[in-house]
Amino acid sequence: MKESTREDYVRLVYKVVFYIEQNADKELSLEELAKVAGFSKYHFHRIFKAVTRENIGDFIARVRLVYSAWKLKTEPKITDVALSCGFETNASFSKAFKNRFGMSPRAYATMLKAKKGVVMLKPTIVEFKPLSVFYVRKTGAYETSSCEAWNTLMVFAYEQKMKLHKNIMGKATMHFGVGHDNPSLVEQNLLRYDACITCEDESIELKGEVFKKVLDGGKCAMFLHKGAYENLKATYAQIMDWVVSEGVGLRDAPLFEKYLNRDPRRTKPENLRTEIYVPIV
């Protein structure tokens, strides 16, 4: 297959991936999704699997179940969680949840409540303004997928500077990372990570795996992580303790990170600074 043709397929399939993520609580038919991609419904599911290595039905179910696990942190009524995540009945939701995570939704919610304890971190409540970003999506263990995403995005930025004389990495450029999945609940090879940089130059054309979207604005609890990225997992655990112990309402949006160091590769691990934004009601 020609590289340009493959890039077209990847771009169109990921257009559907993002559509599913934004509409996971709605009924999604094969015809509707094929239309989003501009493919024939007879070929769409095969093309989707060839690009993502996952059946489209399995992907939709996984996104909904991961979303439901997130909702169970603060929503006391399991039936409400089931309905908000696109399941028609509590029974069908409970069966799918147990098959996926090895425990019932009620047992999972009980486990979360039992983990309430002393929280070391305290957030700053901020109003995050929407930002337009260029981004690259990679899938896999966060340790590797994040590096792959940033490498691809930086090659794109470098090409803009060298070939088109457009500097999209100025002093005002902000760097964000969006991890869509909880590695405690989702297989390592299926974790989704977006590397993002801000840019206001509308003349820059998208290429290859580089897409454009808006990081949604709104009220957020912002936590500051100090130190190596390898220690982020412990910080996230404390953040979730805070969410549960405080009974904070969460908005239907993923957590995201803002990297404050201009060049992490030239920064000592202990001097790295990362802001973690938790969208809250």
Side-chain angles (χ1 to χ4, degrees), residues 60-271:
I60 294 173
R62 180 167 64 84
V63 169
R64 285 175 171 168
L65 287 170
V66 171
Y67 175 52
S68 73
W70 178 253
K71 295 277 285 185
L72 283 169
K73 295 180 187 298
T74 56
E75 174 55 63
K77 295 183 179 179
I78 293 176
T79 300
D80 290 346
V81 173
L83 294 175
S84 69
C85 296
F87 291 89
E88 294 183 357
T89 66
N90 192 10
S92 63
F93 168 59
S94 295
K95 181 179 179 180
F97 193 96
K98 188 171 184 178
N99 288 339
R100 179 74 194 178
F101 301 126
M103 66 178 74
S104 69
R106 189 170 302 282
Y108 181 75
T110 300
M111 180 187 70
L112 290 174
K113 292 176 183 178
K115 287 186 175 181
K116 291 182 180 181
V118 177
V119 181
M120 301 298 293
L121 296 179
K122 295 294 182 182
T124 300
I125 306 303
V126 300
E127 191 69 27
F128 186 83
K129 295 182 179 180
L131 289 173
S132 178
V133 296
F134 290 109
Y135 72 106
V136 171
R137 161 76 59 88
K138 290 292 184 180
T139 304
Y142 283 143
E143 294 80 0
T144 55
S145 61
S146 59
C147 292
E148 292 172 357
W150 280 109
N151 287 340
T152 301
L153 188 56
M154 290 302 99
V155 168
F156 170 77
Y158 182 76
E159 288 180 348
Q160 297 297 315
K161 181 178 180 179
M162 298 303 294
K163 295 180 179 180
L164 302 177
H165 306 292
K166 295 181 178 180
N167 187 8
I168 66 173
M169 291 294 292
K171 292 182 178 181
T173 302
M174 291 180 278
H175 304 69
F176 295 91
V178 184
H180 293 269
D181 302 299
N182 183 343
S184 299
L185 301 176
V186 178
E187 296 91 330
Q188 293 289 301
N189 65 308
L190 297 176
L191 299 175
R192 298 164 291 162
Y193 178 88
D194 297 343
C196 315
I197 57 174
T198 56
C199 183
E200 297 181 357
D201 190 342
E202 297 293 338
S203 68
I204 295 176
E205 297 183 1
L206 303 179
K207 180 182 178 182
E209 298 177 75
V210 179
F211 296 82
K212 197 172 185 179
K213 67 176 177 180
V214 174
L215 290 179
D216 293 333
K219 188 178 180 182
C220 292
M222 188 276 286
F223 296 82
L224 179 63
H225 170 84
K226 299 178 181 180
Y229 298 142
E230 289 80 2
N231 298 330
L232 278 166
K233 185 176 181 180
T235 299
Y236 273 102
Q238 289 195 46
I239 290 174
M240 288 303 101
D241 284 345
W242 175 82
V243 168
V244 174
S245 64
E246 296 295 324
V248 177
L250 301 174
R251 288 191 286 116
D252 298 338
L255 282 71
F256 58 95
E257 302 165 353
K258 181 180 181 181
Y259 309 112
L260 303 183
N261 303 86
R262 185 165 179 78
D263 190 347
R265 296 170 300 178
R266 299 181 180 181
T267 305
K268 292 181 179 180
E270 61 268 26
N271 293 331

